[in-house]
Amino acid sequence: MSKINKKLDNLCIDSIKINSCAITSKVQKGDWASSISVAKILHTLFCYNLIFNPKDPSWINRDRFILSTNAFLPAFYSIQRIIGNLTKFDLENYATQGICKVNADKNLKINLETNVDDSSRNIVIGIGMAIAESILSQKFDEINHKTYILCNERDLQNGYVQEALSLAGTFKLNKLIILCNSNGIQYDSFSKTVNNVNLKNEYKAKKFKFIEINNSVSKLNNVLKRTKFNSKPLFIKINTIFAEDTIYENNNIAFDNYLNNDDISDLKDMLLFKKSDNFETYKSIK
């Protein structure tokens, strides 16, 4: 990518981070720390890879995007505002009125294929959608889309999720892409103390293609651009930083604390976002 694109990438990502902190701090609800960690992932997916039609949200061959947990909703709403599906008013009224809820309802107009809560059941639903695509694509030439599932390590610890993932490998769902936000932090523990397994070996045994990368737009972009050559479902472990660049970085007490105005100001010192209104964004990235 050119230098100007890299700058716009970073400005977009920083806007997602600050908007996420603003909307959660206002009402003291939502997971701002996890939203910061997935900002690059959501930007890379929606601005470079996900195929959809804003004028026809139910277009049959759109890529399916599945959000497995409400922990990422503040960042998700922020990227939807940047691409024009939500407004500043929507963000300012998060968790109080309107479309931006703590637990989201299915809404194709903002690229939500399912309801979103904290149950992780959406991974199973997403795999079901990928199975449907596999069957329909054999019958209809116009069906040829991908299914992206964004999850965290905690979501993968449910038994029914593991059963569904095993089925995905057995069925060779080569248009299924699991994006795992991996920062090692859970609400009451570190991930390795709960499920200390070798993910690479685990998912290779499930007949997935496994790739581990650091949290980078260019690295994730390069991986996603090669997905058309996949013969297996793809599991991407993306190493992120929980509550990155804040006083709560890599500390699970962030789950029980919200950034105040001074904290957000300190975060802005680390980022390109410099607007005084933390609900604002930049015209150049919209």
Side-chain angles (χ1 to χ4, degrees):
M1 291 180 287
S2 65
K3 289 183 179 180
I4 189 169
N5 279 342
K6 287 184 179 179
K7 182 177 180 179
L8 288 176
D9 284 339
N10 290 331
L11 190 59
C12 183
I13 292 161
D14 292 351
S15 289
I16 295 170
K17 291 179 179 180
I18 296 300
N19 288 171
S20 296
C21 293
I23 65 179
T24 53
S25 297
K26 180 181 179 181
V27 294
Q28 302 285 286
K29 293 180 180 180
D31 188 344
W32 64 270
S34 294
S35 288
I36 282 179
S37 70
V38 298
K40 286 183 182 178
I41 301 172
L42 285 169
H43 166 73
T44 306
L45 188 59
F46 276 92
C47 293
Y48 288 107
N49 293 279
L50 195 75
I51 297 173
F52 61 99
N53 184 353
K55 295 181 179 179
D56 185 8
S58 60
W59 174 44
I60 190 65
N61 203 36
R62 69 190 182 279
D63 286 340
R64 271 50 168 181
F65 172 72
I66 309 299
L67 203 62
S68 75
T69 172
N70 59 5
F72 303 149
L73 278 172
F76 174 79
Y77 291 141
S78 298
I79 188 67
Q80 290 300 307
R81 185 271 190 89
I82 288 171
I83 64 177
N85 289 336
L86 292 173
T87 66
K88 179 184 177 184
F89 177 84
D90 293 323
L91 298 193
E92 289 175 325
N93 287 279
Y94 166 76
T96 57
Q97 60 177 311
I99 198 171
C100 297
K101 301 177 180 179
V102 176
N103 292 318
D105 299 323
K106 175 181 176 179
N107 189 332
L108 295 183
K109 292 182 179 179
I110 59 170
N111 302 109
L112 277 181
E113 299 283 344
T114 63
N115 296 344
V116 181
D117 52 29
D118 64 350
S119 68
S120 75
R121 63 182 177 181
N122 281 353
I123 296 178
V124 179
I125 294 172
I127 291 170
M129 290 182 177
I131 292 173
E133 188 282 333
S134 178
I135 295 170
L136 290 172
S137 65
Q138 296 177 34
K139 298 181 179 180
F140 305 101
D141 292 339
E142 61 269 32
I143 304 298
N144 182 29
H145 61 263
K146 296 183 177 71
T147 301
Y148 295 91
I149 301 176
L150 177 59
C151 66
N152 59 28
E153 294 160 310
R154 173 180 170 271
D155 299 331
L156 300 172
Q157 292 166 12
N158 286 308
Y160 60 84
V161 169
Q162 289 300 311
E163 291 174 3
L165 288 165
S166 293
L167 188 64
T170 299
F171 284 179
K172 298 180 180 180
L173 301 178
N174 65 319
K175 295 191 181 80
L176 173 67
I177 301 162
I178 308 292
L179 302 160
C180 180
N181 177 53
S182 179
N183 53 48
I185 305 294
Q186 297 186 189
Y187 185 80
D188 55 359
S189 63
F190 294 100
S191 300
K192 64 182 180 181
T193 65
V194 178
N195 188 32
N196 190 18
V197 298
N198 186 311
L199 284 181
K200 181 177 181 179
N201 291 340
E202 179 180 2
Y203 284 93
K204 280 193 170 184
K206 285 184 169 67
K207 301 178 182 178
F208 273 71
K209 180 178 181 181
F210 180 92
I211 296 177
E212 181 174 357
I213 60 173
N214 290 329
N215 194 18
S216 159
V217 173
S218 60
K219 289 180 180 178
L220 180 55
N221 223 3
N222 288 336
V223 172
L224 293 178
K225 284 181 178 179
R226 298 196 300 267
T227 55
K228 63 181 178 180
F229 303 111
N230 289 351
S231 58
K232 302 176 180 180
L234 175 62
F235 187 101
I236 310 174
K237 180 178 183 285
I238 306 165
N239 297 319
T240 65
I241 299 175
F242 183 73
E244 186 175 18
D245 293 327
T246 73
I247 57 173
Y248 300 110
E249 183 173 303
N250 285 327
N251 195 322
N252 62 2
I253 65 172
F255 287 117
D256 295 317
N257 292 274
Y258 290 89
L259 300 182
N260 58 37
N261 289 333
D262 289 338
D263 295 330
I264 297 177
S265 179
D266 290 341
L267 175 58
K268 287 160 67 174
D269 289 341
M270 308 286 289
L271 307 177
L272 293 178
F273 186 102
K274 302 301 180 186
K275 288 185 176 290
S276 58
D277 185 346
N278 296 328
F279 287 95
E280 269 295 351
T281 190
Y282 291 84
K283 290 182 179 179
S284 59
I285 63 174
K286 288 182 71 172

